[in-house]
Amino acid sequence: MTAFAAPVQSRETSGWDDRPVLATIATAVFVWALLITTFDTFGFASTYVSRTRELMTFYVVMAVVVSALPWRRWTTTTKWLIGAFLVQVVVGFAFWSAQDGSRIAINYWSQWLLALAFLLLGLTFYRACWWLWGPIIIGYALVIAGVCLTGLLFWHSPPAQLNGPAEFYGDRPVGAPAALMMVLGLVLAAGEGRLSSRVRTAVVVVLGATVVLAQHRSVWIALLVALVLLMWDGKCRGVSFRQMTGFLAVAAFFVLSAVMPVLTPWSILPSGPSAQAGPSLPDSFESVGTFSWRLDMWESRLTQSRSLMEWLTGGMWGPTPVWGPGSSVMNPTISSHSMLVDLLSMLGLLGLGVFVVLFLRATAYRWLVPPVLPICLIATAAFGFFYAWPSWAWVFLGAGLSARGDADVP
């Protein structure tokens, strides 16, 4: 997989040495924020991070970003787009705090406050810090893989209370956002020129196989999208199949996990069909209960009556019929399990439009060989069709915008 190595970014070629203290603080804050927003995705720990800690993390990240004065280096388009998103989130949180109290406000706005913080963190410090942040993400993805594999070997959670009897719900030691981290770590590792070819291949195979074993279907889609894009990019540049061994091995493992129970009495996946049950696809490939549940939630939010202002700006000015304590939609206290539906419900057409433009600007170009950040973002978008983006994923959007020239070295 040598041909997939990107041009190596190092401390010397970044902007780290221009403001080393600020870059060091930003990296420490990035690691802290990354850990804070992923604690609750380790199922075995049953850890809940308090909203107060999330709010303090937002304040700390924003303080570090503001200290860099990044807007001085943004393009005019970036200023308008980021400004619109920032105003919606900050004004929305302020209005809710004034009307319903800070407890209600942080419960409903923490998702967007942290998303804003990570977006600005990536946009501000990509050029100075990504040479270090990329390997940190890869290393953390490997830690998650280790936790997942250890959990599958030695620990089983009780079946989750989801719609349907599927047993595989109880064999998922890490949540979908943590599994997504492994997919993005795989993509970053594939383009990490500081790793040898063998190490890159090993990391890709370990992370890819663990994602399959984690049995989150939304993350499977992200994985397949990432593999297709990586192999398509390699094909366009004349890379041989031999150099794509890691990608092909992961794809083969995914196919094998699906067909083995059909052809043999055994299953690779935890909670696979028993020999007595007869040949069949694994439950995680057949169960459609959560998908129909998602469709019902999306329909309840998209068909809910609301005012023109609520369609345009969502809940910026206070609770709405589709979002807030008084909402009558299906499961009003949780995410709709779709990034696009959440954006429309919570930030309205304005917020959705800003996000789409930011996403297109960050992905509709080729700045690197391979274009790892666009591939990460497109894979995350595939995941986001069935799930809300984890707040830390927004750092990739900010990094992608900075990489295309929307921001300079702080």
Side-chain angles (χ1 to χ4, degrees), residues 3 9 59 63 70 100 107 116 157 161 175 179 211 243-244 264 268 271 279 324 329 352 361 385 401:
Q9 186 187 31
Y59 289 145
D100 300 286
N107 280 337
L116 172 64
S157 66
Q161 299 300 313
V211 169
Q243 293 173 301
M244 294 190 280
T264 73
I268 295 175
S271 296
V329 300
L352 177 60
R361 287 178 68 84
F385 190 82
L401 291 168

Side-chain angles (χ1 to χ4, degrees), residues 68-406:
L69 305 177
W71 53 86
R72 297 178 303 171
R73 301 168 181 86
W74 293 349
T75 64
T76 301
T77 302
T78 302
K79 289 178 180 178
W80 278 104
L81 293 170
I82 297 298
F85 185 65
L86 184 148
V87 166
Q88 275 206 278
V89 173
V90 173
V91 170
F93 178 68
F95 264 84
W96 281 55
S97 297
Q99 295 178 25
D100 300 286
S102 58
R103 175 178 294 183
I104 295 295
I106 188 59
N107 280 337
Y108 282 90
W109 281 95
S110 63
Q111 172 185 354
W112 301 104
L113 290 170
L114 289 171
L116 172 64
F118 273 105
L119 171 64
L120 292 175
L121 195 65
L123 181 60
T124 303
F125 292 101
Y126 163 76
R127 292 187 180 274
C129 301
W130 196 261
W131 68 274
L132 182 57
W133 290 7
I136 288 174
I137 293 171
I138 295 170
Y140 192 38
L142 289 171
V143 170
I144 293 172
V147 169
C148 184
L149 295 174
T150 301
L152 290 174
L153 286 174
F154 301 109
W155 171 88
H156 296 277
S157 66
Q161 299 300 313
L162 295 174
N163 186 17
E167 293 183 4
F168 73 92
Y169 293 143
D171 285 299
R172 302 195 294 192
V174 299
L180 178 65
M181 180 77 74
M182 291 189 282
V183 174
L184 303 189
L186 179 156
V187 177
L188 292 179
E192 180 51 69
R194 288 166 289 184
L195 299 176
S196 69
S197 178
R198 290 184 178 180
V199 172
R200 281 199 301 274
T201 300
V203 171
V204 166
V205 171
V206 169
L207 292 178
T210 307
V211 169
V212 176
L213 294 174
Q215 296 192 94
H216 288 281
R217 279 85 58 88
S218 53
V219 185
W220 282 355
I221 294 173
L223 174 66
L224 294 177
V225 168
L227 292 175
V228 168
L229 291 176
L230 285 167
M231 288 190 284
W232 175 257
D233 179 73
K235 180 179 181 296
C236 291
R237 292 186 289 108
V239 177
S240 67
F241 279 106
R242 182 181 62 82
Q243 293 173 301
M244 294 190 280
T245 304
F247 308 143
L248 295 171
V250 173
F253 185 78
F254 180 81
V255 173
L256 185 63
S257 67
V259 302
M260 179 176 280
V262 178
L263 304 176
T264 73
W266 301 284
S267 175
I268 295 175
L269 299 177
S271 296
S274 64
Q276 290 79 15
S280 65
L281 287 170
D283 205 8
S284 50
F285 280 85
E286 289 191 315
S287 177
V288 296
T290 56
F291 181 65
S292 60
W293 173 71
R294 280 175 167 82
L295 290 176
D296 291 339
M297 283 203 299
W298 300 345
E299 181 181 6
S300 71
R301 285 159 171 77
L302 294 175
T303 59
Q304 182 74 19
S305 176
R306 68 203 86 172
S307 69
L308 176 60
M309 182 60 69
E310 289 166 346
W311 273 110
L312 291 175
T313 62
M316 179 177 173
W317 310 110
T320 71
V322 75
W323 187 40
S327 173
S328 60
V329 300
M330 179 181 173
N331 298 319
T333 60
I334 65 174
S335 160
S336 66
H337 283 60
S338 172
M339 182 67 173
L340 297 179
V341 176
D342 273 356
L343 279 165
L344 183 61
S345 301
M346 301 177 182
L347 299 180
L349 290 169
L350 175 60
L352 177 60
V354 167
F355 171 78
V356 169
V357 175
L358 288 173
F359 180 84
L360 291 178
R361 287 178 68 84
T363 56
Y365 67 97
R366 296 171 67 88
W367 66 277
L368 186 65
V369 180
V372 288
L373 282 179
I375 291 175
C376 285
L377 285 168
I378 295 170
T380 304
F383 169 85
F385 190 82
F386 302 98
Y387 246 106
W389 278 21
S391 55
W392 53 261
W394 287 72
V395 77
F396 285 86
L397 183 58
L401 291 168
S402 181
R404 78 181 303 278
D406 281 11

